[in-house]
Amino acid sequence: MLLLLTLPFLYPFVFLINTALKPRSEFERDSVSLSTKLTFENFASAWTDADLGAAMLHSVISVSIGVLVAVAISVTGAFWFVRRPGRWSTSWRVLLIATTAIPLPVYIIPLFLQLSDAGLTDNLYVMGAIYAGWTSSLGLYLVYTFLKAIPDELLEAAQLDGANPWQQLAYIVLPLCKPIVATLAVLAFVATWSDLLAGVVLIQDPEKRLLIPATALLNDLHVSNVPRTAAAVVIAMAPMFVVFLVGQRSLARGILAGIGK
């Protein structure tokens, strides 16, 4: 039953990979049936024509900065809110978490104008900071919910033993937060790696283009090579599959963390 239920979701991936491995002439004759002659020429053509190697490096730089900064902000911010209960801190926390409800298209143009006036567009490090701000609100919610399950007596005992807040964070909170931190890292990576809108608007220099925009802009208005585009999409999706395969156990543990506590 589970296999039957997953078939509608697996078919697009099967069709994508089949298209990427199909010669262009065969695809133009029959775009639906399985390929009778597999070729990797589309992957080589997509890698060269769209300069996917450089674009992948740019995405690695920006996304890595975004994930690391988002994790750092989320963990330290959630720890601060846990240790500072009160009406004022609760209002700030609710306000910060509520920003997750604002979709990116609402503020991407004002953000672009501000960065353009400051000369900060086409900057991979600034792009990483934008990604960090984009995912930190969700991370703050996840980590704060997890930290609320930690007994207050544990941190109070550490404080009585002379541990300052930074020591409590480093030696008590972080070791306990490994499952939720891994979950946040995976979710932040997938959300930012698959971004198209911010990457197109904020990085317009072809020499600094990110991977997903480079894939989306591979075709021009006059020539459409669908198998080559499908190969580029497979290349762009591969890192996300790797991250999910590596972090699936931590992701499951993080999602289930706190149940029954």
Side-chain angles (χ1 to χ4, degrees):
M1 182 62 69
L2 290 176
L3 180 61
L4 292 176
L5 292 175
T6 57
L7 287 178
F9 301 95
L10 292 176
Y11 173 75
F13 294 100
V14 174
F15 179 81
L16 177 66
I17 296 174
N18 178 63
T19 302
L21 295 172
K22 182 180 292 188
R24 182 179 179 182
S25 57
E26 183 180 348
F27 177 83
E28 292 176 349
R29 290 195 306 269
D30 185 0
S31 61
V32 179
S33 63
L34 293 176
S35 177
T36 57
K37 181 182 179 182
L38 302 181
T39 178
F40 290 94
E41 181 181 352
N42 297 320
F43 290 90
S45 177
W47 185 271
T48 303
D49 296 344
D51 197 10
L52 295 185
M56 183 174 292
L57 177 61
H58 300 158
S59 290
V60 168
I61 293 173
S62 297
V63 172
S64 298
I65 293 174
V67 171
L68 292 175
V69 175
V71 169
I73 292 176
S74 301
V75 173
T76 54
F79 177 70
W80 187 90
F81 282 115
V82 167
R83 299 299 291 166
R84 298 290 190 279
R87 183 177 301 177
W88 183 83
S89 64
T90 300
S91 300
W92 272 108
R93 176 172 53 83
V94 172
L95 179 63
L96 290 173
I97 295 176
T99 59
T100 58
I102 304 176
L104 180 62
V106 172
Y107 57 86
I108 187 63
I109 298 303
L111 178 61
F112 168 75
L113 294 177
Q114 291 181 350
L115 293 178
S116 180
D117 292 339
L120 296 176
T121 55
D122 297 326
N123 190 310
L124 298 177
Y125 302 103
V126 173
M127 195 69 202
I130 298 299
Y131 283 153
W134 182 12
T135 55
S136 292
S137 298
L138 174 61
L140 177 64
Y141 170 76
L142 293 176
V143 180
Y144 177 82
T145 304
F146 181 86
L147 291 184
K148 288 293 290 182
I150 297 178
D152 295 335
E153 294 80 4
L154 187 61
L155 298 178
E156 292 173 358
Q159 186 176 3
L160 291 175
D161 288 339
N164 59 44
W166 289 108
Q167 291 173 327
Q168 297 173 29
L169 177 63
Y171 297 111
I172 298 177
V173 174
L174 281 179
L176 294 174
C177 284
K178 286 182 180 179
I180 200 65
V181 167
T183 301
L184 172 58
V186 172
L187 294 178
F189 178 88
V190 172
T192 53
W193 185 269
S194 59
D195 164 65
L196 174 63
L197 180 59
V200 170
V201 175
L202 302 181
I203 304 290
Q204 300 183 5
D205 185 355
E207 299 296 327
K208 298 180 180 179
R209 188 167 289 160
L210 303 182
L211 181 59
I212 299 300
T215 302
L217 299 175
L218 180 59
N219 285 331
D220 55 36
L221 296 177
H222 305 287
V223 179
S224 178
N225 189 339
V226 177
R228 183 185 62 175
T229 304
V233 173
V234 172
I235 294 173
M237 291 173 58
M240 289 190 291
F241 281 108
V242 172
V243 169
F244 262 114
L245 290 176
V246 173
Q248 61 178 342
R249 181 174 299 180
S250 298
L251 184 63
R253 290 176 57 194
I255 293 175
L256 298 176
I259 295 180
K261 292 185 179 180

